[in-house]
Amino acid sequence: MSENLRFLRMTRAVVSLHGPLTEKIVSYRRVPAFSYFTDFVKQVNSISTTNFSSVYKECAKQGAVEAGKQAHAHMILSGFRPTTFVLNCLLQVYTNSRDLLSASMVFDRMPQRDVVSWNTMINCYAKSKDMVKASSFFDTMPERDVVSWNSMLSGYLQNGESFKSVEVFVEMGREGVGYDCRTFAVVLKACSSLEDSSLGMQVHGVVVRVGCDTDVVAASALLDMYAKCKRFDESVRVFRGIPEKNSVSWSAVIAGCVQNNLLSLALMFFKEMQKVGGGVSQSIYASVLRSCAALSELRLGGQLHAHALKSDFAGDGIVRTATLDMYAKCDNMQDAQILFDKSENLSRQSYNAMITGYSQEEHGFKALLVFHRLMLSGLGFDEISLSGVFRACALVKGLSEGLQLYGLAVKSSLSLDVCVANAAIDMYGKCQALGEAFCVFDEMRRRDAVSWNAIIAAHEQNGKGYETLSLFVSMLRSSIEPDEFTFGSVLKACAGGSLGYGMEIHSNVVKLGMASNSSVGCSLIDMYSKCGMIEEAEKIHSRLFLGGKVPEEVEKMHNKRLQELCVSWNSIISGYVTKEQSEDAQMLFTRMMEMGITPDKFTYATVLDTCANLASAGLGKQIHAQVIKKELHSDVYVCSTLVDMYSKCGDLHDSRLMFEKAQKRDFVTWNAMISGYAHHGKGEEAIKLFERMILENIKPNHITFISILRACAHMGLVERGLEYFYMMKTEYGLDPQLPHYSNMVDILGKSGKVEKALKLIREMPFEGDDVIWRTLLGVCAIHRNNVEVAEEATAALLRLDPQDSSAYTLLSNVYADAGMWEKVSDLRRSMRSFKLKKEPGCSWVELKDELHVFFIADKAHPRWEEIYEEIGLIYSEMKSFDDSSLVPEIEVEEQDQWYHC
């Protein structure tokens, strides 16, 4: 009786008996087992070891600790003396629910304990991450079996002490304890965790020696180990040797394919599994859907989704998240959104898949909306959620939203996570908040290569070339090895003006063995092209991408490789355009097409620029036809280039047609059309279009105002020009630059206000360049009696470039208009003494797809005699209108040469 009272006091410490027992049982999900328990309580006389053990087993299985405690109390009150087996079942109830206090009390008061009792306690402490206590029980227990050792092996592995787990395995062998399949499964997981294939091979030898190599559990663990240790050939060999494969072995080999980036092979294994009737599982679906996502296999991914629906796995959280991720990475956010909206009990991982998907598809606002829904759901957010939504803020330039999100990250301590901090740096950089980006970087406790890449890219994107290179040096000093993304940013910083630094970085690339990396190669090609070193760029391009390849070989190249190849061609074509070698750029484009490389929108835009530069309307129309065929005409970048090309080729009708048909217009499209009108003297149309631009809430930029001021100059609208000039600063916060001042000088000068034009130049906040002084000198030639201003402009021009022959020519025209022929002669003598010659004029015309180019005194054209004969006729007709009495007699040779100037 005293024994019963002691157990009763112990039980009262862990359970309160309120209300009828049956009222508490019905709250559990599986009613049949507890209905049996209820019947058992009503029939006290039928109490037996079997009845108590069955109830405890069911409670342990379902995690129903409260019902288990009540059964425990009933057992004490009934006076039943439990056997060790029954008490072991009771221990399972408490250990499965992590109720260590109750488990310890039962264990301590057990009259007799067997090895199962000890193993249960060891396993409980191991799962509770208290390996000190588990080890104490293990050392104390009088007798150990293989389960005891396996519990210690598994406990150390679960607590991240893989090496300790291997030590226990070795000690187990020394003690002569027989291994079982679970032993090998655990120790091979430890080898996988350590990525130690040599150790795994030794364990493999032991597996073969004890005859477990044909066991599906041990073999599955072996192939998983080899896969994670990057020895997939061995993994497949083990898999082929398994006599009877189950879903675990199929799952392991398919997951191994994905881990080793053998994505197509993963899909092949899945198809093979289906043929032999292998069962599917959650992990198999997750692996094959991940393969489809990486390969952009939308059709197969959709089939797998249907297969999952048929197999009743579509509602599984992990499978659903993998399906959402597949649709997102296959650029099918529409189906992803449908699945997301139709799903119930969404997990945080499902929300993360949508946020990441929309961010990768550059739908920043939609990603922000999904994050808002996540916050309202009460599921909370994690580092993946924040990383995705920071990218969304970067896309929409949402600095305000980014600051609020970073506040959330700080409050939740997730700002300490490296991935979150890296995403925040990237966001701040793209939102032009370099100060905040550097603060986040500076506060990071640990920085990886991505952190350095993010801060370097942030400075490069904001035009801070010197700081970009300084950070690169700091990265090298911190012993972080740069990767392709690092070199991409620093080489961009060198492009256009820092060839010396770029060449040093190139040597660094070679030293690090990254010269064959295609991404780095593209960056080098771009840098050399923009620095004018086209030959060097072509050498790298040929070495990396061509190598004697023929069109048939190009067709077999991987999509990523083809994209990099296209980027490389684009860089060189763009380099030729930058060097004003448009003909060479067009020839390179032709070679690109002959190679079978598909141009992208940037290729077409660049080549259309060359057509605009050469006024090659015929080729431009052919390119336009290709653009329509490739369905790229709706792209705003290509459309803007087409508007510009047609206007520069003199076809304002087609230019306006392209402008009006554009599905989307940005400020570049508007600028191209306004500039076209201004360039062709259509000032009124340019001004009307500018006013329409303002009405449609498109913010003008510096280039817009250059065009509109040029239009005012063509029309002689002085007051309107001044209004627009001052509007730049007052309404749009744009400080006028030299081109704006040049246009204002042109406006004032052509209206006869030459003195005011000179005053404007003198009051500029910066020094005038050759363009503005030449403009002033040109208007002096139009309006007489401005000799002093013309002389001042000429002096300024010659200070900038003493060899500028145009300054002498324009001043001589001013002197001639003023009748100062002696000074004209002096200028002529000065030009001869300095050996200055006016750069010969050049003109061209395209007829029947053939370009005809002409220079002064040119006799290279096959029909030059006929051409000169026509010119002679025109000249004689013009001469009849010339007042030759005003011009002093000079030598005929000099006169002809002077007219050509």
Side-chain angles (χ1 to χ4, degrees), residues 33 86 134 199 206 237 467 529 532 550 552 630 654 679 725 778 832 839 894:
V86 172
L199 180 61
V206 178
R237 192 175 291 114
E467 290 83 353
S529 297
V550 293
E552 291 76 15
K630 300 284 183 184
D654 282 349
H679 186 74
F725 184 74
R832 281 196 293 269
E839 189 176 333
E894 285 188 359

mmCIF file of all heavy atoms in Angstrom, residues 33 86 134 199 206 237 467 529 532 550 552 630 654 679 725 778 832 839 894:
data_model
loop_
_atom_site.group_PDB
_atom_site.id
_atom_site.type_symbol
_atom_site.label_atom_id
_atom_site.label_comp_id
_atom_site.label_asym_id
_atom_site.label_seq_id
_atom_site.Cartn_x
_atom_site.Cartn_y
_atom_site.Cartn_z
ATOM 1 N N ALA A 33 -8.524 4.238 -31.041
ATOM 2 C CA ALA A 33 -7.613 3.743 -30.007
ATOM 3 C C ALA A 33 -8.035 4.226 -28.634
ATOM 4 O O ALA A 33 -8.003 3.481 -27.657
ATOM 5 C CB ALA A 33 -6.200 4.213 -30.305
ATOM 6 N N VAL A 86 5.972 -2.897 -19.273
ATOM 7 C CA VAL A 86 4.927 -1.866 -19.198
ATOM 8 C C VAL A 86 5.542 -0.504 -18.885
ATOM 9 O O VAL A 86 5.196 0.519 -19.475
ATOM 10 C CB VAL A 86 3.866 -2.243 -18.143
ATOM 11 C CG1 VAL A 86 2.895 -1.084 -17.923
ATOM 12 C CG2 VAL A 86 3.100 -3.491 -18.562
ATOM 13 N N ALA A 134 23.212 12.222 -22.003
ATOM 14 C CA ALA A 134 23.109 10.961 -22.748
ATOM 15 C C ALA A 134 24.368 10.128 -22.574
ATOM 16 O O ALA A 134 24.302 8.907 -22.357
ATOM 17 C CB ALA A 134 22.868 11.262 -24.221
ATOM 18 N N LEU A 199 37.119 8.291 -45.781
ATOM 19 C CA LEU A 199 36.554 7.669 -44.588
ATOM 20 C C LEU A 199 35.311 6.866 -44.963
ATOM 21 O O LEU A 199 35.100 5.746 -44.481
ATOM 22 C CB LEU A 199 36.198 8.749 -43.560
ATOM 23 C CG LEU A 199 35.598 8.280 -42.229
ATOM 24 C CD1 LEU A 199 36.558 7.372 -41.483
ATOM 25 C CD2 LEU A 199 35.232 9.478 -41.363
ATOM 26 N N VAL A 206 33.775 -2.034 -44.562
ATOM 27 C CA VAL A 206 33.196 -2.736 -43.420
ATOM 28 C C VAL A 206 31.794 -3.249 -43.772
ATOM 29 O O VAL A 206 31.405 -4.371 -43.408
ATOM 30 C CB VAL A 206 33.144 -1.821 -42.175
ATOM 31 C CG1 VAL A 206 32.506 -2.542 -40.995
ATOM 32 C CG2 VAL A 206 34.521 -1.320 -41.811
ATOM 33 N N ARG A 237 27.206 3.154 -59.074
ATOM 34 C CA ARG A 237 27.634 1.755 -59.002
ATOM 35 C C ARG A 237 26.962 1.044 -57.831
ATOM 36 O O ARG A 237 26.504 -0.092 -57.944
ATOM 37 C CB ARG A 237 29.159 1.688 -58.883
ATOM 38 C CG ARG A 237 29.721 0.294 -59.085
ATOM 39 C CD ARG A 237 31.244 0.285 -59.075
ATOM 40 N NE ARG A 237 31.779 0.958 -60.262
ATOM 41 C CZ ARG A 237 32.468 2.077 -60.247
ATOM 42 N NH1 ARG A 237 32.718 2.687 -59.099
ATOM 43 N NH2 ARG A 237 32.920 2.610 -61.352
ATOM 44 N N GLU A 467 36.504 54.383 -55.781
ATOM 45 C CA GLU A 467 36.118 53.651 -54.562
ATOM 46 C C GLU A 467 35.923 52.163 -54.856
ATOM 47 O O GLU A 467 36.248 51.313 -54.026
ATOM 48 C CB GLU A 467 34.839 54.234 -53.972
ATOM 49 C CG GLU A 467 34.984 55.619 -53.368
ATOM 50 C CD GLU A 467 34.908 56.731 -54.399
ATOM 51 O OE1 GLU A 467 34.870 56.420 -55.622
ATOM 52 O OE2 GLU A 467 34.902 57.914 -54.004
ATOM 53 N N SER A 529 36.968 46.796 -75.157
ATOM 54 C CA SER A 529 36.207 47.457 -76.233
ATOM 55 C C SER A 529 35.930 48.911 -75.888
ATOM 56 O O SER A 529 36.116 49.806 -76.715
ATOM 57 C CB SER A 529 34.885 46.726 -76.470
ATOM 58 O OG SER A 529 35.102 45.417 -76.916
ATOM 59 N N GLY A 532 38.813 51.223 -76.192
ATOM 60 C CA GLY A 532 39.341 51.406 -77.539
ATOM 61 C C GLY A 532 40.309 50.346 -77.994
ATOM 62 O O GLY A 532 40.857 50.444 -79.092
ATOM 63 N N VAL A 550 32.191 26.120 -86.188
ATOM 64 C CA VAL A 550 31.345 26.316 -87.356
ATOM 65 C C VAL A 550 29.906 26.451 -86.879
ATOM 66 O O VAL A 550 29.591 26.079 -85.750
ATOM 67 C CB VAL A 550 31.485 25.125 -88.339
ATOM 68 C CG1 VAL A 550 32.865 25.088 -88.935
ATOM 69 C CG2 VAL A 550 31.161 23.804 -87.648
ATOM 70 N N GLU A 552 27.316 24.717 -87.226
ATOM 71 C CA GLU A 552 26.712 23.497 -86.681
ATOM 72 C C GLU A 552 27.105 23.285 -85.223
ATOM 73 O O GLU A 552 26.306 22.836 -84.397
ATOM 74 C CB GLU A 552 27.137 22.281 -87.515
ATOM 75 C CG GLU A 552 26.548 22.237 -88.914
ATOM 76 C CD GLU A 552 27.235 23.206 -89.870
ATOM 77 O OE1 GLU A 552 28.336 23.700 -89.546
ATOM 78 O OE2 GLU A 552 26.653 23.484 -90.950
ATOM 79 N N LYS A 630 11.461 38.591 -84.752
ATOM 80 C CA LYS A 630 11.850 38.062 -83.431
ATOM 81 C C LYS A 630 10.920 38.545 -82.315
ATOM 82 O O LYS A 630 11.140 38.244 -81.143
ATOM 83 C CB LYS A 630 13.281 38.508 -83.089
ATOM 84 C CG LYS A 630 14.346 38.049 -84.065
ATOM 85 C CD LYS A 630 14.691 36.601 -83.884
ATOM 86 C CE LYS A 630 15.823 36.184 -84.823
ATOM 87 N NZ LYS A 630 16.112 34.748 -84.724
ATOM 88 N N ASP A 654 8.295 57.700 -90.766
ATOM 89 C CA ASP A 654 8.404 56.372 -90.144
ATOM 90 C C ASP A 654 8.845 56.468 -88.691
ATOM 91 O O ASP A 654 8.461 55.646 -87.856
ATOM 92 C CB ASP A 654 9.378 55.489 -90.930
ATOM 93 C CG ASP A 654 8.749 54.930 -92.202
ATOM 94 O OD1 ASP A 654 7.517 55.062 -92.336
ATOM 95 O OD2 ASP A 654 9.475 54.373 -93.038
ATOM 96 N N HIS A 679 16.457 68.254 -84.870
ATOM 97 C CA HIS A 679 17.601 68.095 -85.781
ATOM 98 C C HIS A 679 17.217 68.467 -87.219
ATOM 99 O O HIS A 679 18.055 68.963 -87.979
ATOM 100 C CB HIS A 679 18.087 66.645 -85.724
ATOM 101 C CG HIS A 679 19.330 66.403 -86.509
ATOM 102 N ND1 HIS A 679 20.578 66.818 -86.094
ATOM 103 C CD2 HIS A 679 19.525 65.783 -87.711
ATOM 104 C CE1 HIS A 679 21.483 66.466 -86.991
ATOM 105 N NE2 HIS A 679 20.874 65.833 -87.984
ATOM 106 N N PHE A 725 15.060 77.164 -70.506
ATOM 107 C CA PHE A 725 16.382 77.122 -69.884
ATOM 108 C C PHE A 725 16.270 77.267 -68.363
ATOM 109 O O PHE A 725 16.906 76.525 -67.607
ATOM 110 C CB PHE A 725 17.252 78.233 -70.473
ATOM 111 C CG PHE A 725 18.662 78.241 -69.973
ATOM 112 C CD1 PHE A 725 19.580 77.295 -70.388
ATOM 113 C CD2 PHE A 725 19.090 79.222 -69.065
ATOM 114 C CE1 PHE A 725 20.899 77.310 -69.930
ATOM 115 C CE2 PHE A 725 20.392 79.250 -68.604
ATOM 116 C CZ PHE A 725 21.301 78.288 -69.040
ATOM 117 N N GLY A 778 30.414 81.258 -84.799
ATOM 118 C CA GLY A 778 29.524 81.029 -85.944
ATOM 119 C C GLY A 778 28.438 82.077 -86.045
ATOM 120 O O GLY A 778 28.124 82.554 -87.147
ATOM 121 N N ARG A 832 48.903 79.060 -93.725
ATOM 122 C CA ARG A 832 49.938 78.399 -94.529
ATOM 123 C C ARG A 832 51.222 78.210 -93.726
ATOM 124 O O ARG A 832 51.876 77.181 -93.803
ATOM 125 C CB ARG A 832 50.211 79.208 -95.807
ATOM 126 C CG ARG A 832 49.182 78.991 -96.888
ATOM 127 C CD ARG A 832 49.714 79.492 -98.246
ATOM 128 N NE ARG A 832 49.871 80.944 -98.248
ATOM 129 C CZ ARG A 832 48.911 81.776 -98.635
ATOM 130 N NH1 ARG A 832 47.747 81.320 -99.048
ATOM 131 N NH2 ARG A 832 49.124 83.087 -98.626
ATOM 132 N N GLU A 839 39.883 70.294 -92.462
ATOM 133 C CA GLU A 839 39.570 68.880 -92.676
ATOM 134 C C GLU A 839 38.558 68.777 -93.806
ATOM 135 O O GLU A 839 37.516 69.441 -93.787
ATOM 136 C CB GLU A 839 38.968 68.278 -91.391
ATOM 137 C CG GLU A 839 38.827 66.775 -91.460
ATOM 138 C CD GLU A 839 38.332 66.203 -90.137
ATOM 139 O OE1 GLU A 839 38.577 66.824 -89.082
ATOM 140 O OE2 GLU A 839 37.686 65.142 -90.174
ATOM 141 N N GLU A 894 43.776 79.767 -105.352
ATOM 142 C CA GLU A 894 43.435 80.112 -103.975
ATOM 143 C C GLU A 894 41.933 80.281 -103.824
ATOM 144 O O GLU A 894 41.346 79.871 -102.829
ATOM 145 C CB GLU A 894 44.127 81.412 -103.573
ATOM 146 C CG GLU A 894 45.607 81.230 -103.318
ATOM 147 C CD GLU A 894 46.231 82.497 -102.742
ATOM 148 O OE1 GLU A 894 45.484 83.492 -102.571
ATOM 149 O OE2 GLU A 894 47.416 82.487 -102.459
#
